[in-house]
Amino acid sequence: MNILFASSEVAPFAKTGGLGDVSASLPKALNEIGCSLSVIMPFYKSVKNLGLNLTPFTIEGFNFLSTYAGGEPLSTRQAGALGARHGADDINYVFVVNDEYYDRDNLYSDGNGEYKDNGLRFSYFSRAVLSFAINSDFKPDIIHCNDWHAGLVCLYAKLRNTGIETLFTIHNIGYQGLFPKALFDKLCIPRRFFKVNDILHHGKISFLKAGIIHSSAISTVSNGYRKEILTPAFGCGMDAILRRHASRIYGIVNGVDYSEWDPKTDKRIACNYGPENIDRKTGCKKDLIESTGLPPETMERPVVGMISRLAYQKGVDLIAGTAKDIIDLGASIVILGIGDDKYNNLFKDIAGRHPGYISSHIVFDDSLAHKIEAGSDIFVMPSRYEPCGLNQLYSLRYGTLPVVRATGGLDDTIIDLYADKERGNGIKFSGATKKDLIEAIARAVELYKNKELWQDVTKRIMNLDFSWRTSALQYKRLYEKMLNSPR
Ligand code: ADP
């Protein structure tokens, strides 16, 4: 089975969040169970900077879609691509080249907000994906399209009657690829699609909706989130349309790439350790404390870590609002995140107000993320909604107790220790309130004080297996189902 995996982010080439992790590790896991994979993404500046050894080629047939009335013609000069085999895996990586669109410092926005031409940038990407699918030697059976950036691929594939099935995976329904109606004339799509029960959504064009409506099947990244997005409370205005398509929506939980996230082999942390020598984790704590400027006495306190996009979705305001209470419980805090300016400033300010107890890092820093997973005692995720969440799974492997809000993938993967002593693997709270959060952290701190119990629990959670294999098999079965009963 040939799968063309289309994503805007693939680590280590480009990553702003979990999409980058999943698009790096799921293709590898699918490859290991017998699927043949090509991964296609934009040739961003971050990819360019890696100086990979790439073979340039032209994506043929790139112009076909401009034959529709009003379509923006694309010159063959623009329609470039670079291909490469990368690393030890057997995956072919294809990068869509258009320096005007992708050779920028960030993926989606700069200090002035979202890039104004994001609609053009990702419709271009989607056309390139389909042209590659049709004209390259790879001949995919399925195009696996991820998030709104690749939503139009599903519509273009249908328009062209390619016979190639498309799976559209929603990693976060909050990001819908919404653009002004005026963009329509540049998308190379016939007029009949310009209507409310198609890609129009409250007066805008939505690339996400194109993916939902025109794909052969839809998936999302946990079962819990699958159920949630069908409701008005979590559907971000897309719940009605999703309910109409509910019979072809599947929930498949994300996994962890343990070749990247395992303290036994992690090269970015100070001491490697496993459940058999968990005492070595102290070396990572010491290193974290030193490198984040916290005083040596912090070794005696539980360190609460957080790595997050600083967005309302993530409940970061709840952390900010309880920072003093967390310190009063006897804990110290290390925060790594970047996002909305108001939260960037808030966390800088909070660290300034509690010197010696809070260390905040308003950057994107992959190495520090690994150090925090290894060096913290407790990891906190107070998300208002969380499609899957990865850091709670990373925390388990690093013996760092996750404290999470019971929503989406967090609810699916974490079992509360106080509710189930045998199977419990973290602390869970239900309300998105400061009160519920601080009570949950207090429970974790209480447990931390019982050294013997703490060691038993942290050793046990390190042995849990959230690798990709089971989920990759579920994707493979879904692909087979799509091919056996074409839409
Ligand atoms: P989301 O995709 O909603 O941002 P996930 O939990 O699915 O959340 O994935 C987040 C990923 O991004 C994790 O690998 C996390 O470590 C990483 N990450 C988030 N913020 C930062 C940051 N500021 N620096 C480094 N890594 C980060």
Side-chain angles (χ1 to χ4, degrees):
M1 205 176 347
N2 287 354
I3 312 295
L4 178 59
F5 195 93
S7 177
S8 165
E9 300 182 22
V10 183
F13 310 119
K15 165 176 163 179
T16 65
L19 176 63
D21 289 351
V22 172
S23 304
S25 49
L26 173 57
K28 284 191 215 164
L30 287 165
N31 194 239
E32 275 163 25
I33 55 170
C35 299
S36 178
L37 263 293
S38 279
V39 176
I40 186 164
M41 66 174 289
F43 191 56
Y44 292 116
K45 184 180 261 180
S46 59
V47 191
K48 216 178 216 186
N49 289 345
L50 291 174
L52 305 170
N53 186 11
L54 301 169
T55 319
F57 66 97
T58 305
I59 297 184
E60 300 294 340
F62 202 76
N63 274 331
F64 67 85
L65 284 161
S66 57
T67 53
Y68 291 105
E72 188 91 324
L74 300 159
S75 73
T76 24
R77 189 182 51 77
Q78 286 175 306
L82 295 166
R85 286 197 187 280
H86 168 77
D89 52 47
D90 213 7
I91 295 169
N92 189 32
Y93 292 88
V94 177
F95 301 97
V96 176
V97 182
N98 181 326
D99 282 352
E100 185 195 333
Y101 284 159
Y102 309 127
D103 190 14
R104 302 184 186 177
D105 288 340
N106 301 305
L107 303 198
Y108 313 119
S109 58
D110 59 17
N112 302 318
E114 301 280 303
Y115 293 134
K116 296 280 178 291
D117 56 354
N118 275 348
L120 289 174
R121 295 171 77 222
F122 290 102
S123 68
Y124 182 94
F125 173 61
S126 298
R127 277 185 271 177
V129 171
L130 192 66
S131 298
F132 178 81
I134 296 173
N135 295 300
S136 72
D137 294 339
F138 182 64
K139 306 274 173 267
D141 301 295
I142 302 230
I143 312 177
H144 188 154
C145 307
N146 292 277
D147 268 351
W148 70 264
H149 322 97
L152 284 180
V153 177
C154 306
L155 173 49
Y156 290 143
K158 202 187 219 182
L159 267 178
R160 281 284 293 179
N161 240 336
T162 55
I164 306 173
E165 301 295 321
T166 50
L167 173 64
F168 183 60
T169 297
I170 299 169
H171 296 261
N172 190 332
I173 197 83
Y175 297 83
Q176 305 183 343
L178 294 168
F179 301 103
K181 283 186 198 168
L183 181 69
F184 188 82
D185 290 337
K186 301 197 166 154
L187 297 180
C188 309
I189 297 170
R191 274 271 141 193
R192 65 177 189 278
F193 294 95
F194 190 66
K195 55 187 182 198
V196 173
N197 56 7
D198 211 294
I199 66 170
L200 281 188
H201 187 65
H202 297 296
K204 298 221 161 147
I205 293 166
S206 166
F207 288 10
L208 177 97
K209 206 170 164 203
I212 293 173
I213 293 179
H214 296 289
S215 54
S216 320
I218 303 160
S219 73
T220 188
V221 291
S222 69
N223 248 316
Y225 193 57
R226 182 200 173 278
K227 286 186 207 131
E228 285 176 352
I229 56 176
L230 299 176
T231 66
F234 290 92
C236 296
M238 288 287 172
D239 47 292
I241 177 83
L242 286 169
R243 282 196 295 278
R244 241 173 285 148
H245 293 267
S247 64
R248 53 187 195 89
I249 308 181
Y250 301 81
I252 303 178
V253 71
N254 288 336
V256 177
D257 179 354
Y258 289 122
S259 70
E260 285 292 319
W261 295 93
D262 189 335
K264 276 189 189 161
T265 50
D266 192 335
K267 293 195 177 61
R268 301 175 182 94
I269 61 178
C271 301
N272 290 115
Y273 63 94
E276 62 289 347
N277 54 3
I278 195 169
D279 46 308
R280 287 174 57 89
K281 185 170 162 62
T282 337
C284 295
K285 182 168 178 177
K286 189 161 177 282
D287 174 59
L288 178 67
I289 287 169
E290 279 168 12
S291 52
T292 56
L294 289 169
E297 313 81 86
T298 313
M299 283 306 285
E300 307 310 317
R301 302 166 65 88
V303 169
V304 177
M306 178 167 181
I307 306 165
S308 179
R309 277 186 296 114
L310 298 184
Y312 181 75
Q313 174 212 334
K314 300 288 183 180
V316 292
D317 52 310
L318 301 175
I319 290 284
T322 48
K324 178 157 187 325
D325 308 276
I326 297 173
I327 296 167
D328 289 345
L329 284 174
S332 300
I333 307 173
V334 178
I335 288 164
L336 169 64
I338 186 156
D340 300 352
D341 268 346
K342 77 170 180 195
Y343 296 125
N344 296 345
N345 294 333
L346 181 63
F347 281 104
K348 277 184 204 155
D349 180 51
I350 284 176
R353 270 192 277 132
H354 303 282
Y357 295 104
I358 301 185
S359 178
S360 46
H361 304 265
I362 312 303
V363 284
F364 194 93
D365 182 340
D366 193 46
S367 295
L368 183 55
H370 285 251
K371 278 172 185 267
I372 293 176
E373 284 293 1
S376 305
D377 301 292
I378 296 165
F379 194 92
V380 67
M381 298 177 78
S383 306
R384 291 202 161 75
Y385 73 91
E386 194 58 75
C388 178
L390 290 169
N391 285 104
Q392 82 280 18
L393 305 178
Y394 301 156
S395 298
L396 292 173
R397 182 50 62 113
Y398 284 76
T400 304
L401 193 76
V403 174
V404 306
R405 174 149 184 271
T407 180
L410 296 176
D411 199 19
D412 283 6
T413 54
I414 299 301
I415 301 170
D416 189 88
L417 270 163
Y418 284 81
D420 185 337
K421 281 199 178 59
E422 313 240 295
R423 295 188 316 134
N425 58 5
I427 306 280
K428 215 151 68 164
F429 62 99
S430 55
T433 63
K434 288 190 268 183
K435 179 172 168 290
D436 280 23
L437 170 62
I438 196 67
E439 279 172 12
I441 294 180
R443 288 203 293 279
V445 170
E446 220 26 62
L447 205 64
Y448 175 85
K449 288 181 188 154
N450 183 338
K451 289 293 165 213
E452 210 174 311
L453 188 57
W454 184 260
Q455 209 182 58
D456 285 353
V457 168
T458 47
K459 261 191 197 174
R460 182 165 57 75
I461 63 176
M462 288 183 79
N463 282 313
L464 297 174
D465 183 6
F466 282 91
S467 57
W468 264 107
R469 196 178 159 78
T470 314
S471 301
L473 284 167
Q474 282 175 275
Y475 274 109
K476 193 177 177 198
R477 274 198 291 276
L478 176 54
Y479 296 151
E480 283 161 355
K481 189 169 171 187
M482 288 162 63
L483 293 175
N484 290 334
S485 49
R487 220 180 153 204

